[in-house]
Amino acid sequence: MGKKIAIIGGGVSGLACAQRLVAESESSIDSIVVFDTGNRTCGGRISSRVDKQTGFEFDHAAQYFSVKDNKTVFAEYCREATKRGELYAIDDLSRYGILSREEDKQQHVFHRFEDEHVRYASKDGFRAFIKHLEDSVLDVGTDAKNKIERPQWVGSMQKNKSNTWLLANTQDRSRKNYRELGEYDFVVIAHN
């Protein structure tokens, strides 16, 4: 009998975890549910927001991300995403680094990155990258074995006598909006 898995957090970590589980679990996993708080899309700190009044787009938190070890499965995934046009490796790192304040001089000093890490960015605020991750998790069939629930906050996780985890949107069962989100054999927390 397969297991039910919940992943709390639909950022890059949660979606990459779900994608890997989908790819490697032929019969050992019955279903995977990713819970994410995003209104329109997953992505977490790598998503972009659009100001409704002006139409300007802003990065939520990350303008790029680093891959420290080029031999990992995720590094290979990023190289494939580059071929698909979802990402690009930043060639000129002269504008990237850390701005730090030097107390004795009362000024800020820019320090360029001096490492060998590959840094990836996207021309579309990482939307195509996240969409591809989402699509690799979701079932295209009608059985909806794997799904992404959003916007959905998970506020409670309790172990049952049957050794499963009951997830709910809040701990307070007396609240009018209390809703149980299901029982799961395993829960991955990919959230800050």
Side-chain angles (χ1 to χ4, degrees):
M1 185 164 131
K3 303 294 184 187
K4 289 178 65 179
I5 298 177
I7 298 174
I8 301 172
V12 174
S13 298
L15 291 173
C17 175
Q19 181 192 47
R20 184 81 182 260
L21 289 170
V22 166
E24 293 188 7
S25 64
E26 305 234 344
S27 61
S28 61
I29 297 176
D30 278 345
S31 66
I32 299 168
V33 178
V34 177
F35 293 98
D36 186 66
T37 57
N39 285 321
R40 293 179 314 280
T41 184
C42 290
R45 303 226 179 254
I46 207 164
S47 61
S48 297
R49 304 287 185 252
V50 176
D51 181 72
K52 291 178 184 177
Q53 291 179 341
T54 64
F56 289 120
E57 186 172 3
F58 300 94
D59 294 321
H60 182 59
Q63 293 79 38
Y64 70 90
F65 63 87
S66 304
V67 175
K68 296 179 181 181
D69 184 350
N70 285 323
K71 296 176 184 133
T72 63
V73 172
F74 186 66
E76 178 59 31
Y77 183 82
C78 291
R79 287 190 289 275
E80 291 299 318
T82 301
K83 292 176 188 173
R84 290 189 302 267
E86 299 165 14
L87 298 176
Y88 65 89
I90 300 171
D91 294 327
D92 179 14
L93 290 176
S94 64
R95 297 179 2 182
Y96 294 85
I98 297 173
L99 187 63
S100 61
R101 183 173 179 201
E102 296 199 2
E103 295 294 330
D104 57 334
K105 297 180 184 174
Q106 293 295 314
Q107 64 183 8
H108 290 83
V109 177
F110 178 72
H111 302 278
R112 281 191 204 112
F113 290 126
E114 300 288 336
D115 54 40
E116 300 295 319
H117 301 162
V118 179
R119 288 172 172 81
Y120 290 97
S122 177
K123 296 175 186 156
D124 69 347
F126 293 103
R127 281 188 301 277
F129 180 66
I130 293 301
K131 178 80 172 106
H132 189 271
L133 275 169
E134 283 181 334
D135 291 347
S136 68
V137 172
L138 297 171
D139 279 342
V140 249
T142 55
D143 63 336
K145 175 182 169 183
N146 304 318
K147 60 185 177 177
I148 297 172
E149 287 201 20
R150 71 168 183 267
Q152 183 58 64
W153 176 259
V154 178
S156 174
M157 186 170 116
Q158 297 176 351
K159 189 120 183 178
N160 291 331
K161 292 177 183 174
S162 60
N163 262 353
T164 60
W165 294 95
L166 174 64
L167 300 184
N169 64 335
T170 179
Q171 288 182 337
D172 187 356
R173 290 175 181 258
S174 66
R175 288 183 67 172
K176 190 175 177 179
N177 69 337
Y178 174 82
R179 185 167 77 93
E180 291 183 357
L181 305 173
E183 290 186 34
Y184 299 90
D185 298 292
F186 298 97
V187 178
V188 177
I189 300 175
H191 196 277
N192 57 354

